Amino acid sequence: MIRKFVKYLFSMTMALCIAATVSAQDIVELSFAWTEDGVDSAVMRDLLDRFQAANPDIAISLDVQAASAIQEAIESGQAPDMARLTDVAAFRGAYLDLRALLDDPAMLEENFHPAILDALRGGSDDAGLYGFADQLSLTAPYINISAFEVAGVALPSDVMEEPSLDDWLAALEEVAGATGIPYLLSIDNRDHRLLGPAMRMGAVFLDADGNLNLPDDSGLRSFLGLLKGLMDEGKVPGDVLLGTGRSESYFVRGDALMYICASGKAESVAEQIGESFDWIIAPNPHGAAGNTGFASLSAVVAFAGTQHPQAVARVMEYLLQPALYAEYSARTLTIPAHLAVIEAAVAYAGDDDTVKAALQAFAHGLPDLQDQAILFDLHPLASAYYEASNASLQPYFAGDLMLDEALAALHARLDEAADMSG
């Protein structure tokens, strides 16, 4: 007992000495600005608290702010030490290069898609490492598998190595004929929904210099023509392409067999469907240019103006550990961008096995992404493209413009947006 008591006193004395040493020094205080998306700031705060417990010489304030407030602070020269941003391309040149600060730069360079790293860089001659994507949103097809089971039709992704969209449409036609479900697929004519399929068919939205000017619209032309034909045949709900309906509602009601959208809808879809039918996320169909989906992301970055680059690098290294990164993804129900985490699979929290399986399936699409599928949404003209696309394509789906006219209008609106921004 005496020996144990002495050992306890020694341990307490050492702990007090360490605490006294740290308190006698100037504790490094880091500011970490955070754009909230769900419950992620609470999870990050917990991870940072554990970091601070193991590193009492560093204190981190996690400040949840609107994206606009963070942007204003950066533009006014009051950038934080670190930030979680969605508009990561807007501040290229202001980020801290971590290459010489990380103990193992490969943990960052080898675990993230090259286009994600490029999104933070200032140009083709920039090899810097400035941060990492903390989560992704990816597009892929939602499939009503109960209808396939009732019809006795195999999922193309189960029996074919690289099923095309034509293969899927043939299977969907067969299921619709057997079940009476009216629509083969539903997809909105807005934002990013049309881009993944168009890219798979060969559309090129960014030129060699990174300009968003749609240098090759052949793939977009092919997909739009296919959609218009399906709509005219009554196999795609027309109101969703005309902007007056919601494609999600057709799928959750069981009126559409396939729904093309992003991972962020998985929980909403699950809640609305309940036990009405079973559904999964299928791999993106293969096209002439692969089976890419479309991505949007947020990223954790450090700023070059920090007075504490070494401390920032220690925080980055901590958050990049696969176990920590995986825990963050699991607790926030988000898609990881960390390749090692994807390979090991995330043990997602919650009780809904369908949502967990859906998130895993979305994550498996990351390695197939084209560079442009990552870089597009980060481009300064992305919002202008979405608006131009909506305005130009609705008259086409309504039958008021021919496809050539609609695409000419889209190109003209893009050129106008580029002139205004330049």
Side-chain angles (χ1 to χ4, degrees), residues 58-120:
I58 299 176
I60 308 164
S61 63
L62 188 69
D63 304 313
V64 178
Q65 303 177 37
S68 58
I70 298 175
Q71 179 177 338
E72 290 173 6
I74 296 169
E75 291 174 346
S76 66
Q78 302 298 315
D81 296 294
M82 303 173 64
R84 190 276 194 102
L85 303 174
T86 51
D87 191 4
V88 299
F91 305 106
R92 290 172 177 154
Y95 300 135
L96 174 69
D97 190 351
L98 299 164
R99 282 176 295 177
L101 299 169
L102 297 173
D103 289 338
D104 181 15
M107 70 189 303
L108 177 52
E109 191 162 28
E110 295 179 1
N111 280 310
F112 291 86
H113 193 294
I116 293 176
L117 302 178
D118 286 344
L120 303 176

Side-chain angles (χ1 to χ4, degrees), residues 11-191:
S11 298
M12 290 298 295
T13 301
M14 289 299 295
L16 290 172
C17 288
I18 292 171
T21 301
V22 171
S23 64
Q25 300 170 349
D26 291 330
I27 295 177
V28 171
E29 297 185 359
L30 299 180
S31 56
F32 194 164
W34 190 267
T35 303
E36 180 73 290
D37 182 14
V39 299
D40 44 37
S41 66
V43 176
M44 179 55 65
R45 180 68 267 174
D46 179 50
L47 298 182
L48 294 177
D49 286 345
R50 284 148 56 184
F51 172 85
Q52 290 179 162
N55 299 269
D57 58 322
I58 299 176
I60 308 164
S61 63
L62 188 69
D63 304 313
V64 178
Q65 303 177 37
S68 58
I70 298 175
Q71 179 177 338
E72 290 173 6
I74 296 169
E75 291 174 346
S76 66
Q78 302 298 315
D81 296 294
M82 303 173 64
R84 190 276 194 102
L85 303 174
T86 51
D87 191 4
V88 299
F91 305 106
R92 290 172 177 154
Y95 300 135
L96 174 69
D97 190 351
L98 299 164
R99 282 176 295 177
L101 299 169
L102 297 173
D103 289 338
D104 181 15
M107 70 189 303
L108 177 52
E109 191 162 28
E110 295 179 1
N111 280 310
F112 291 86
H113 193 294
I116 293 176
L117 302 178
D118 286 344
L120 303 176
R121 291 170 173 154
S124 59
D125 59 344
D126 185 353
L129 297 174
Y130 300 106
F132 63 91
D134 67 290
Q135 66 174 13
L136 295 173
S137 174
L138 298 174
T139 57
Y142 292 67
I143 305 293
N144 180 337
I145 59 170
S146 289
F148 274 79
E149 292 168 357
V150 169
V153 176
L155 293 171
S157 53
D158 287 346
V159 296
M160 300 178 186
E161 187 173 344
E162 295 184 348
S164 66
L165 182 55
D166 286 341
D167 294 324
W168 272 102
L169 289 174
L172 293 171
E173 289 267 22
E174 190 175 353
V175 174
T179 61
I181 291 176
Y183 298 111
L184 304 188
L185 66 88
S186 60
I187 180 172
D188 290 320
N189 167 32
R190 58 190 177 91
D191 296 343

Side-chain angles (χ1 to χ4, degrees), residues 108-376:
L108 177 52
E109 191 162 28
E110 295 179 1
N111 280 310
F112 291 86
H113 193 294
I116 293 176
L117 302 178
D118 286 344
L120 303 176
R121 291 170 173 154
S124 59
D125 59 344
D126 185 353
L129 297 174
Y130 300 106
F132 63 91
D134 67 290
Q135 66 174 13
L136 295 173
S137 174
L138 298 174
T139 57
Y142 292 67
I143 305 293
N144 180 337
I145 59 170
S146 289
F148 274 79
E149 292 168 357
V150 169
V153 176
L155 293 171
S157 53
D158 287 346
V159 296
M160 300 178 186
E161 187 173 344
E162 295 184 348
S164 66
L165 182 55
D166 286 341
D167 294 324
W168 272 102
L169 289 174
L172 293 171
E173 289 267 22
E174 190 175 353
V175 174
T179 61
I181 291 176
Y183 298 111
L184 304 188
L185 66 88
S186 60
I187 180 172
D188 290 320
N189 167 32
R190 58 190 177 91
D191 296 343
H192 56 272
R193 275 77 163 177
L194 305 180
L195 297 178
M199 289 177 181
R200 292 193 291 276
M201 291 185 171
V204 178
F205 290 86
L206 304 174
D207 66 19
D209 297 320
N211 300 309
L212 201 171
N213 54 18
L214 194 52
D216 183 350
D217 63 16
S218 59
L220 179 60
R221 180 183 299 273
S222 297
F223 185 58
L224 293 176
L226 175 66
L227 273 185
K228 180 66 161 60
L230 291 171
M231 186 191 80
D232 290 345
E233 294 172 7
K235 298 173 181 177
V236 170
D239 59 347
V240 301
L241 295 176
L242 297 175
T244 58
R246 294 177 62 248
S247 60
E248 179 184 345
S249 64
Y250 284 92
F251 183 71
V252 299
R253 287 199 308 263
D255 290 336
L257 293 165
M258 174 187 284
Y259 166 49
I260 300 175
C261 200
S263 52
K265 289 287 188 179
E267 291 180 83
S268 170
V269 165
E271 182 178 352
Q272 293 178 75
I273 291 174
E275 298 182 0
S276 299
F277 59 86
D278 294 330
W279 59 275
I280 63 164
I281 299 301
N284 280 302
H286 284 256
N291 64 325
T292 186
F294 184 83
S296 57
L297 61 86
S298 59
V300 173
V301 297
F303 287 90
T306 180
Q307 299 299 305
H308 311 289
Q310 294 288 351
V312 166
R314 284 166 60 186
V315 177
M316 286 285 196
E317 286 179 323
Y318 169 79
L319 296 176
L320 282 167
Q321 294 177 73
L324 266 293
Y325 191 110
E327 180 183 341
Y328 174 81
S329 300
R331 294 171 62 186
T332 57
L333 296 180
T334 51
I335 309 300
H338 195 301
L339 295 174
V341 171
I342 292 173
E343 184 176 355
V346 174
Y348 282 107
D351 299 324
D352 195 323
D353 291 338
T354 300
V355 170
K356 295 178 188 179
L359 296 175
Q360 297 285 11
F362 274 114
H364 291 155
L366 172 59
D368 299 319
L369 289 176
Q370 295 177 7
D371 288 0
Q372 65 171 344
I374 294 172
L375 297 173
F376 184 103

